[in-house]
Amino acid sequence: IWTSDHDKFLESMADAASIFQSLGNSDKYGLSDIGAKNADVIDNGKGVTAADAIAIQAVSAKIIDEKAFPMTQAEYSVAVKK
């Protein structure tokens, strides 16, 4: 299961914002090791990117289901077009 540092599923806009902050200033807003591992939901294993944050926003907006994670960028593109 994909969880944030707070042991809840990564689904809130706050989780997405944390990822964006980490990407912009990792010295100040770094993710924990477990947070980074769990935030890497798109193309898992390639590292946390803005695509991961956007996918988490899509879950928050109920556009996709979190049970689909992890997924590739191609799978994500198809899922959001449904």
Side-chain angles (χ1 to χ4, degrees), residues 18-29:
S18 294
I19 293 169
F20 283 127
Q21 284 181 316
S22 176
L23 293 171
N25 188 346
S26 61
D27 291 336
K28 187 173 182 180
Y29 300 107

Side-chain angles (χ1 to χ4, degrees), residues 65-82:
D65 189 320
E66 73 269 8
K67 293 176 185 166
F69 290 146
M71 63 175 54
T72 66
Q73 183 66 48
E75 291 168 332
Y76 172 76
S77 295
V78 170
V80 297
K81 290 180 183 178
K82 289 183 179 179

Side-chain angles (χ1 to χ4, degrees), residues 23-82:
L23 293 171
N25 188 346
S26 61
D27 291 336
K28 187 173 182 180
Y29 300 107
L31 298 172
S32 69
D33 289 342
I34 191 80
K37 178 183 176 191
N38 289 329
D40 189 12
V41 296
I42 301 295
D43 293 329
N44 184 258
K46 293 186 177 180
V48 179
T49 67
D52 299 302
I54 293 167
I56 291 163
Q57 288 177 331
V59 170
S60 182
K62 302 195 184 321
I63 295 170
I64 59 173
D65 189 320
E66 73 269 8
K67 293 176 185 166
F69 290 146
M71 63 175 54
T72 66
Q73 183 66 48
E75 291 168 332
Y76 172 76
S77 295
V78 170
V80 297
K81 290 180 183 178
K82 289 183 179 179

